[in-house]
Amino acid sequence: MKDTKLYLVIPCYNEEEVLPETAKRLNRLFDAMEAGDLISGESRIVFVDDGSRDRTWELISSLSTDYPRFRGIKLAKNAGHQNALLAGLMTVKDECDCAISIDADLQDDIEVIPQFIRKFDEGCDVVYGARNDRTTDTFFKRTTAVGFYKFMKAMGVNVVFNHADYRLMSRRALSALSEFSEVNLFLRGLVPLVGYKSDIVYYQRGERFAGESKYPLKKMLSFAFDGITSFSIKPIRLVWSVGAVISILAIVAAIYTLIAKFWGVTTAGWSSLMISIWFLGGVQLVSVGIIGEYIGKIYKETKRRPRYIIEEYKKDE
């Protein structure tokens, strides 16, 4: 029988509506993979409760008590999706041969998990799950998502196109990931830095079968900005470039003003003066804001506060 121990790590935040169905689908999938000799009978499904305010932990606790296949990790407080995901991966990294991360709503197609395992058997340490189309998205979401990946590439961030956090990582890849100690987490950018052999499995993303999305537009924009500023200094270089261009224009304007005064062609110039003041003021405020964002991240990193605190880990003994 196959001895590959697979651990599925699933961060959860207020997911009481989806957990029963999610557990049922995953349990059925693991039964099929064990019967097909793809994974070991010691494979586990690990739910990470990220400080939920509903019955999420109660359900996870019940599952881990009634079924040895399920485990539960309870964080002491809400740490955010990326930290909750990392908490789960770091907790199980020494217990499994490979781990797959996936969201609790199962919009990512679990039927391609056997393909992940086959890629792992072929020697891949990292296998990315990437969407093959976005036909189920609204026009706005599709446009902004594609724009996000293109902008990240332009900023020099190495991300896999149309990949979120649905991926497989081997034990040694997880061990390498544990060496990254930054507090400002953006796993989509961190994992490619690990290196090792990787591949991509494409799938079609489905609709959420229950509950509400935990990533509204405001949170998505914040997440994207965090990703850019955590992996690229190009925004600061862009600020410098804008400053240089404005300085050149200011010199040109000064020369023009002197020539105009010398020839006696002087006007009040109130409109141009006001436009210049507002424009330069806006550029300065945006520039200070961008630089401030980087300083804020440095501030967080220097404090070295823990990224998450585990309150309880329920598992079969």
Side-chain angles (χ1 to χ4, degrees), residues 137-312:
D137 289 347
T138 63
F139 174 78
F140 176 77
K141 187 173 182 180
R142 182 165 58 251
T143 304
T144 53
V146 172
F148 164 73
Y149 287 107
K150 289 183 177 180
F151 187 68
M152 291 290 281
K153 284 287 188 182
M155 289 292 103
V157 184
N158 183 22
V159 292
V160 177
F161 190 73
N162 275 341
H163 164 70
D165 286 302
Y166 187 24
R167 70 180 75 86
L168 176 147
M169 298 185 72
S170 68
R171 179 185 292 185
R172 75 165 182 164
L174 290 171
S175 180
L177 181 63
S178 70
E179 298 295 320
F180 293 85
S181 59
E182 54 251 58
V183 174
N184 301 288
L185 275 182
F186 185 69
L187 291 174
R188 300 181 201 182
L190 272 183
V191 174
L193 296 180
V194 169
Y196 296 144
K197 183 179 178 181
S198 65
D199 206 338
I200 300 175
V201 169
Y202 293 96
Y203 67 95
Q204 187 166 7
R205 187 172 170 88
E207 299 286 347
R208 187 181 177 96
F209 59 83
E212 297 179 355
S213 172
K214 303 305 183 294
Y215 265 91
L217 178 61
K218 181 179 178 182
K219 198 168 183 179
M220 288 175 63
L221 292 174
S222 176
F223 181 66
F225 192 63
D226 281 344
I228 294 166
T229 53
S230 294
F231 283 87
S232 175
I233 61 170
K234 282 192 176 182
I236 290 183
R237 289 177 176 171
L238 182 61
V239 167
W240 184 91
S241 301
V242 171
V245 170
I246 291 176
S247 297
I248 293 171
L249 292 176
I251 293 172
V252 171
I255 294 173
Y256 170 77
T257 301
L258 290 174
I259 293 175
K261 185 174 182 180
F262 177 78
W263 288 102
V265 185
T266 56
T267 57
W270 183 85
S271 298
S272 60
L273 179 63
M274 293 304 295
I275 291 172
S276 300
I277 290 173
W278 282 104
F279 176 70
L280 290 174
V283 169
Q284 288 173 347
L285 288 174
V286 171
S287 302
V288 169
I290 292 174
I291 295 171
E293 179 69 21
Y294 280 94
I295 293 173
K297 289 189 180 298
I298 295 171
Y299 174 62
K300 288 181 179 179
E301 293 292 343
T302 55
K303 288 187 292 187
R304 311 309 302 164
R305 289 179 178 171
R307 292 171 289 194
Y308 55 84
I309 296 174
I310 295 176
E311 180 176 325
E312 188 175 353

Side-chain angles (χ1 to χ4, degrees), residues 28-86:
R28 188 165 56 236
L29 174 69
F30 269 53
D31 281 341
M33 288 195 294
E34 285 183 24
D37 202 26
L38 275 176
I39 60 175
S40 162
E42 296 181 12
S43 299
R44 297 291 181 261
I45 300 168
V46 184
F47 293 106
V48 183
D49 178 29
D50 185 22
S52 299
R53 297 190 298 269
D54 59 4
R55 296 176 56 249
T56 295
W57 177 246
E58 181 183 331
L59 294 172
I60 293 173
S61 182
S62 177
L63 284 168
S64 59
T65 300
D66 297 339
Y67 305 97
R69 176 176 285 161
F70 292 99
R71 292 186 176 184
I73 298 172
K74 187 179 192 299
L75 301 189
K77 66 180 185 66
N78 179 255
H81 178 273
Q82 296 290 279
N83 285 316
L85 179 52
L86 185 71

Side-chain angles (χ1 to χ4, degrees), residues 103-119:
D103 289 339
D105 56 22
L106 298 190
Q107 286 186 267
D108 298 315
D109 185 10
I110 62 173
E111 298 303 323
V112 300
I113 287 180
Q115 295 182 43
F116 280 63
I117 303 300
R118 293 186 185 98
K119 296 284 186 184

